[in-house]
């Protein structure tokens, strides 16, 4: 029951792990989406700037009339920077007039534009160009992604298409942008790792603390049980401590019946006294309180001034030694020892005869343990004085 209660109070680490995994996955997906938007925004800004550049080149072509196609290429397009990642294309109707540089142009000379723009995205972009309006779009060409800015324009009665293609990796791999991107990724990795790990660590710490609390509660409960048992034992020992209790003669029979069942209690010795008329039960047992121990059960008869010591696990020699050490005004009447339960009744009867066979009748409750009290003795003496 306690273990079930303990387990029910603990945080489930697998559940926390699954929950954090779902949360971090959602955050990663959101971050990836936002990073894509961030990149798209960067590319869109670059595309807008690229559109302005294309428009500037078209305006430069239109500044001077009566130029031939070759003059436009040599005087303008060939002078512009070009590389494998950023270059110009120039076509009239469906004929490619210029691609990147002279070498690349010779490869596509006399071929149609469809021979170069072979992908669906690039063909769609070229076919959708509008007259005197620069537009841009992201296209795929030769397994690479480009930002293509282009326009359709009239020159000397002919329609031309001009395009500027920039590989997106050139823009995204820019040192500053790439550095910022990596810093953001590192921040996100650290943050998401903390989001993932921290709740698990806290849950484990919480479980450990709860286990300590449960363990402490169990220890306290066990300690309380031990203390309760000890308290009961102390109370019981105090109640039945023969050094503290004094019984009337009426309780002797009950003790005899109990010790008949306990073989280990033998030998049992009976030591009988008659204390002087001027003595009291309190004075007699008080003077000998150190002499009588836990195994010495004390009985008295205040009317007849009799005292009887039933000494458990006490042989005859030891009983005689105790009798010699008794202080106060008292007369030793008898020292008898029962070696087994078979002769305890006989030994007890001899002891009672030595004491004059006092009548075992008392106005005081026979089985109630009593401490030495002069008032008990004084009640009998007052009755004797009246008689």
């Amino acid at each position: 029951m306690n273990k079930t209660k303990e387990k029910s109070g603990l945080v489930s680490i697998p559940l926390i792990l699954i929950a954090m995994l779902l949360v971090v996955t959602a955050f990663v997906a959101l971050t990836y989406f936002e990073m894509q938007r961030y990149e798209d925004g960067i590319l869109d800004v670059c595309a807008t700037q690229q559109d302005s550049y294309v428009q500037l080149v078209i305006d430069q072509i239109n500044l001077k009339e009566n130029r031939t196609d070759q003059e436009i290429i040599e005087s303008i397009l060939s002078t512009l920077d070009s590389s494998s990642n950023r270059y110009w294309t120039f076509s009239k109707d469906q004929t490619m007039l210029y691609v990147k540089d002279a070498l690349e142009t010779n490869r596509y000379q006399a071929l149609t534009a469809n021979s170069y723009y072979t992908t669906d995205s690039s063909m769609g972009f070229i076919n959708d160009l509008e007259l005197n309006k620069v537009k841009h779009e992201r296209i795929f060409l030769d397994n690479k992604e480009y930002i293509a800015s282009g326009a359709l324009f009239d020159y000397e009665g002919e329609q031309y298409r001009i395009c500027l293609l920039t590989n997106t990796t050139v823009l995204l791999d820019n040192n500053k942008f790439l550095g910022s991107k990596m810093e953001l990724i590192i921040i996100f990795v650290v943050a998401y790792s903390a989001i993932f790990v921290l709740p698990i660590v806290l849950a484990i710490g919480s479980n450990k603390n709860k286990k300590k609390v449960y363990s402490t509660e169990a220890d306290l409960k066990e300690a309380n049980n031990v203390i309760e048992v000890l308290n009961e034992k102390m109370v019981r020992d105090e109640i039945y401590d023969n050094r503290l209790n004094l019984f009337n003669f009426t309780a002797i029979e009950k003790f005899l019946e109990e010790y008949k069942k306990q073989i280990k209690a033998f030998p049992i010795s009976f030591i009988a006294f008659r204390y002087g008329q001027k003595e009291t039960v309190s004075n007699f047992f008080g003077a000998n309180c150190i002499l009588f121990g836990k195994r010495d059960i004390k009985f008295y008869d205040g009317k007849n001034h009799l005292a009887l010591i039933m000494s458990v696990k006490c042989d005859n020699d030891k009983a005689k030694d105790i009798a010699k050490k008794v202080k106060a005004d008292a007369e030793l009447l008898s020292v008898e020892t029962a070696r087994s339960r078979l002769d305890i009744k006989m030994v007890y009867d001899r002891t009672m005869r030595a004491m004059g066979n006092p009548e075992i009748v008392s106005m005081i409750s026979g089985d109630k343990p009593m401490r030495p009290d002069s008032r008990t003795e004084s009640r009998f003496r007052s009755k004797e004085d009246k008689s």
Side-chain angles (χ1 to χ4, degrees), residues 222-247:
E222 184 178 354
N224 288 335
N225 291 336
V226 172
I227 292 172
E228 187 175 351
V229 170
L230 290 175
N231 284 337
E232 291 178 358
K233 186 176 183 301
M234 289 175 66
V235 171
R236 186 168 60 250
D237 290 346
E238 183 179 353
I239 292 174
Y240 296 104
D241 191 344
N242 295 323
R243 293 173 300 181
L244 303 177
N245 294 320
L246 178 64
F247 299 92

Side-chain angles (χ1 to χ4, degrees), residues 39-265:
E39 290 183 357
D40 291 343
I42 295 294
L43 294 177
D44 190 61
V45 170
C46 294
T48 301
Q49 293 178 345
Q50 186 171 276
D51 290 349
S52 301
Y53 191 22
V54 172
Q55 184 62 54
L56 182 64
V57 172
I58 293 174
D59 293 341
Q60 189 175 0
I61 293 173
N62 289 325
L63 282 176
K64 189 175 182 180
E65 299 179 353
N66 298 324
R67 285 177 176 170
T68 63
D69 297 342
Q70 192 62 29
E71 287 176 338
I72 294 173
I73 292 170
E74 291 178 355
S75 61
I76 297 176
L77 298 180
S78 295
T79 61
L80 301 176
D81 293 334
S82 64
S83 65
S84 59
N85 292 318
R86 182 185 178 91
Y87 60 91
W88 294 82
T89 64
F90 188 56
S91 62
K92 181 171 65 174
D93 295 329
Q94 290 296 322
T95 303
M96 294 297 295
L97 300 177
Y98 181 78
V99 178
K100 193 180 301 184
D101 53 30
L103 181 62
E104 197 72 15
T105 300
N106 291 334
R107 291 178 55 191
Y108 293 96
Q109 196 170 19
L111 296 179
T112 63
N114 292 339
S115 301
Y116 185 77
Y117 297 104
T118 56
T119 62
D120 293 338
S121 59
S122 59
M123 282 296 298
F125 173 71
I126 290 296
N127 293 332
D128 291 341
L129 290 179
E130 299 178 16
L131 186 63
N132 297 325
K133 183 179 181 181
V134 180
K135 60 181 293 186
H136 63 263
E137 191 172 322
R138 292 166 70 173
I139 65 173
F140 287 91
L141 197 62
D142 296 331
N143 296 322
K144 296 179 181 179
E145 186 180 20
Y146 290 89
I147 296 177
S149 296
L152 181 68
F153 68 97
D154 284 335
Y155 182 76
E156 297 294 328
E158 298 285 348
Q159 283 194 344
Y160 294 88
R161 288 187 179 86
I162 186 170
C163 295
L164 174 59
L165 284 73
T166 303
N167 194 334
T168 56
T169 57
V170 174
L171 301 175
L172 298 179
D173 289 346
N174 178 273
N175 288 338
K176 290 185 178 180
F177 174 77
L178 191 60
S180 299
K181 183 179 177 181
M182 290 304 299
E183 289 173 359
L184 287 174
I185 290 174
I186 291 171
I187 291 172
F188 287 135
V189 168
V190 172
Y192 295 159
S193 297
I195 292 173
F196 181 78
V197 172
L198 188 59
I200 297 175
V201 172
L202 292 176
I204 293 173
S206 175
N207 286 348
K208 286 184 177 180
N209 290 333
K210 286 182 178 179
K211 286 180 179 179
K212 287 181 180 178
V213 170
Y214 293 138
S215 177
T216 302
E217 288 179 351
D219 292 341
L220 287 174
K221 186 175 181 181
E222 184 178 354
N224 288 335
N225 291 336
V226 172
I227 292 172
E228 187 175 351
V229 170
L230 290 175
N231 284 337
E232 291 178 358
K233 186 176 183 301
M234 289 175 66
V235 171
R236 186 168 60 250
D237 290 346
E238 183 179 353
I239 292 174
Y240 296 104
D241 191 344
N242 295 323
R243 293 173 300 181
L244 303 177
N245 294 320
L246 178 64
F247 299 92
N248 190 267
F249 269 26
T250 55
I252 295 177
E253 294 289 344
K254 293 188 177 182
F255 280 95
L256 291 176
E257 290 299 323
E258 185 66 28
Y259 282 119
K260 283 180 182 179
K261 305 173 186 177
Q262 301 181 22
I263 300 175
K264 294 182 179 180

